[in-house]
Short mmCIF file of all heavy atoms in Angstrom, two decimals:
data_model
loop_
_atom_site.label_atom_id
_atom_site.label_comp_id
_atom_site.label_asym_id
_atom_site.label_seq_id
_atom_site.Cartn_x
_atom_site.Cartn_y
_atom_site.Cartn_z
N CYS A 39 115.06 138.41 51.94
CA CYS A 39 114.39 138.02 53.25
C CYS A 39 113.39 139.09 53.70
O CYS A 39 113.39 140.19 53.27
CB CYS A 39 115.41 137.77 54.35
SG CYS A 39 116.66 136.55 53.90
N TYR A 55 117.58 146.95 49.52
CA TYR A 55 116.21 146.96 49.94
C TYR A 55 115.25 147.04 48.83
O TYR A 55 115.52 147.68 47.72
CB TYR A 55 116.05 148.11 50.89
CG TYR A 55 116.92 148.15 52.13
CD1 TYR A 55 118.06 149.07 52.12
CD2 TYR A 55 116.78 147.31 53.10
CE1 TYR A 55 118.91 149.02 53.18
CE2 TYR A 55 117.68 147.27 54.24
CZ TYR A 55 118.72 148.16 54.20
OH TYR A 55 119.58 148.15 55.21
N PRO A 69 113.90 133.74 46.99
CA PRO A 69 113.34 133.94 48.28
C PRO A 69 114.02 132.98 49.28
O PRO A 69 114.37 131.89 48.98
CB PRO A 69 111.86 133.48 48.07
CG PRO A 69 111.89 132.55 46.88
CD PRO A 69 112.99 133.12 45.92
N GLY A 149 91.94 97.46 79.37
CA GLY A 149 92.19 96.27 80.08
C GLY A 149 93.76 95.88 80.22
O GLY A 149 94.02 94.81 80.79
N ALA A 169 104.22 108.69 89.20
CA ALA A 169 104.09 110.13 89.72
C ALA A 169 103.40 110.96 88.70
O ALA A 169 102.48 111.74 89.13
CB ALA A 169 105.55 110.55 89.93
N SER A 175 95.85 112.46 86.80
CA SER A 175 94.55 111.93 86.96
C SER A 175 93.96 111.96 88.37
O SER A 175 92.72 111.67 88.52
CB SER A 175 94.57 110.42 86.48
OG SER A 175 95.32 109.69 87.47
N ALA A 193 80.11 97.92 91.36
CA ALA A 193 78.83 98.33 91.90
C ALA A 193 79.04 98.83 93.23
O ALA A 193 80.01 98.54 93.93
CB ALA A 193 77.91 96.99 91.95
N SER A 242 83.28 88.49 85.96
CA SER A 242 83.46 89.62 86.79
C SER A 242 82.14 90.09 87.45
O SER A 242 82.06 90.34 88.64
CB SER A 242 84.08 90.77 86.09
OG SER A 242 83.21 91.22 85.00
N LYS A 278 102.10 90.20 102.06
CA LYS A 278 102.37 89.28 103.20
C LYS A 278 101.61 89.68 104.44
O LYS A 278 101.01 88.87 105.23
CB LYS A 278 103.87 89.42 103.53
CG LYS A 278 104.33 88.54 104.69
CD LYS A 278 105.82 88.56 104.86
CE LYS A 278 106.30 87.73 105.96
NZ LYS A 278 107.79 87.83 106.18
N SER A 307 106.33 96.71 113.53
CA SER A 307 104.94 97.11 113.83
C SER A 307 104.48 98.35 113.08
O SER A 307 103.35 98.57 112.73
CB SER A 307 104.71 97.21 115.36
OG SER A 307 105.62 98.24 115.80
N PRO A 318 93.19 97.24 100.39
CA PRO A 318 92.18 97.71 99.40
C PRO A 318 90.86 96.89 99.49
O PRO A 318 89.88 97.28 98.78
CB PRO A 318 92.87 97.55 98.06
CG PRO A 318 93.78 96.31 98.36
CD PRO A 318 94.21 96.32 99.76
N ILE A 323 89.30 91.12 103.70
CA ILE A 323 90.65 91.14 104.43
C ILE A 323 90.44 91.91 105.66
O ILE A 323 90.45 93.10 105.64
CB ILE A 323 91.71 91.65 103.46
CG1 ILE A 323 91.87 90.84 102.15
CG2 ILE A 323 93.12 91.64 104.26
CD1 ILE A 323 92.84 91.40 101.17
N PRO A 324 90.24 91.18 106.79
CA PRO A 324 89.78 91.95 107.97
C PRO A 324 90.72 92.81 108.78
O PRO A 324 91.04 92.52 109.87
CB PRO A 324 89.25 90.79 108.82
CG PRO A 324 90.16 89.71 108.48
CD PRO A 324 90.41 89.85 106.96
N ALA A 339 89.45 102.97 107.19
CA ALA A 339 89.12 103.62 106.00
C ALA A 339 87.68 104.07 106.09
O ALA A 339 87.37 105.17 105.49
CB ALA A 339 89.36 102.77 104.79
N LEU A 342 86.02 105.17 112.34
CA LEU A 342 86.08 104.36 113.62
C LEU A 342 84.71 103.85 113.99
O LEU A 342 84.64 102.76 114.58
CB LEU A 342 86.62 105.20 114.78
CG LEU A 342 88.15 105.59 114.56
CD1 LEU A 342 88.64 106.36 115.79
CD2 LEU A 342 88.99 104.40 114.47
#
Side-chain angles (χ1 to χ4, degrees):
C39 301
Y55 301 105
S175 69
S242 66
K278 184 178 181 180
S307 57
I323 298 178
L342 294 183

